Amino acid sequence: MEGRRIVFHGPNEIAIEAFDVPAPGPHGVLVRTECAAVSAGTELTGLLGVSSQSRGYPAYPGYANVGIVEAVGERVGSPRPGDRVLTMGRHQSHVAVDLDPHRPGGPQYIESVPPDVAPEHAAFAILGSVALHGLRKAEPQVGMSAAVFGQGVVGQLLVQLAKAAGCRPVVAVDLVASRLARSREGGADAVVDASATGVD
């Protein structure tokens, strides 16, 4: 079977290419993509070639993919074909997940999506976990102030999590006015446009 995936061939060079979709091995799960979340910061800097963590080209973006299980290997008890799952797959039509317990690094990530959760909402779970881990590391206390630098998807989520944790005021900082407007809508007590104001 032939699949499709997004590839960055170089700075500002994006394309859709064909690839051979592998049949699942004994511990494998094959997932047909419904939707994937885009991390505007990480993926945009990768496309522009300005990321300090660039792995070179060609690059295959994406790390939050929701889809329907199409096939599983004979040693896979769960999930089953027809189940909706979240994986850390790339932006591609099909994702192969290896659940072999002896795989270097352990089994790849896969999680069932509850039937009452829309795929486009579930796709943000990975980015949500990044934001939640960041908040936990900061160890906020009720009544503490919080400043969140960067208002991409993770920063937007952090503003809301800091508010839920009882931080006051929560200040959103970014260089992009539209992101700051969204932060205000999401509950930021104050916003700082770092393109116009020195922020130390």
Side-chain angles (χ1 to χ4, degrees):
M1 177 170 46
E2 186 175 87
R4 296 283 186 272
R5 62 187 174 193
I6 293 175
V7 58
F8 298 162
H9 286 297
N12 297 306
E13 295 180 26
I14 187 169
I16 297 176
E17 70 177 19
F19 72 101
D20 291 329
V21 176
H27 297 278
V29 178
L30 180 63
V31 180
R32 177 181 39 82
T33 299
E34 290 183 292
C35 64
V38 174
S39 176
T42 301
E43 295 179 39
L44 181 60
T45 56
L47 175 61
L48 296 176
V50 297
S51 172
S52 61
Q53 301 176 357
S54 175
R55 294 170 295 191
Y57 297 105
Y60 297 91
Y63 50 81
N65 183 297
V66 175
I68 302 296
V69 174
E70 287 203 331
V72 299
E74 64 266 20
R75 296 189 181 176
V76 175
S78 178
R80 303 304 305 159
D83 290 351
R84 176 172 286 129
V85 294
L86 169 69
T87 76
M88 298 201 50
R90 307 284 185 197
H91 297 310
Q92 54 193 47
S93 62
H94 295 80
V95 173
V97 181
D98 185 357
L99 300 181
D100 187 344
H102 303 295
R103 175 183 172 272
Q108 290 181 312
Y109 178 86
I110 192 166
E111 187 67 44
S112 294
V113 175
D116 59 338
V117 176
E120 58 270 22
H121 295 164
F124 283 94
I126 302 297
L127 294 172
S129 71
V130 171
L132 185 58
H133 288 310
L135 186 76
R136 287 177 173 163
K137 288 282 190 183
E139 299 181 352
Q141 302 296 316
V142 172
M144 290 176 67
S145 60
V148 181
F149 289 77
Q151 290 301 294
V153 176
V154 173
Q156 297 282 334
L157 292 169
L158 268 168
V159 164
Q160 295 176 47
L161 288 169
K163 292 283 287 193
C167 294
R168 302 288 188 280
V170 175
V171 180
V173 183
D174 203 283
L175 301 168
V176 181
S178 60
R179 289 182 175 185
L180 294 172
R182 185 67 56 115
S183 301
R184 181 74 83 176
E185 293 171 8
D189 297 301
V191 298
V192 176
D193 183 346
S195 68
T197 306
V199 180
D200 297 319

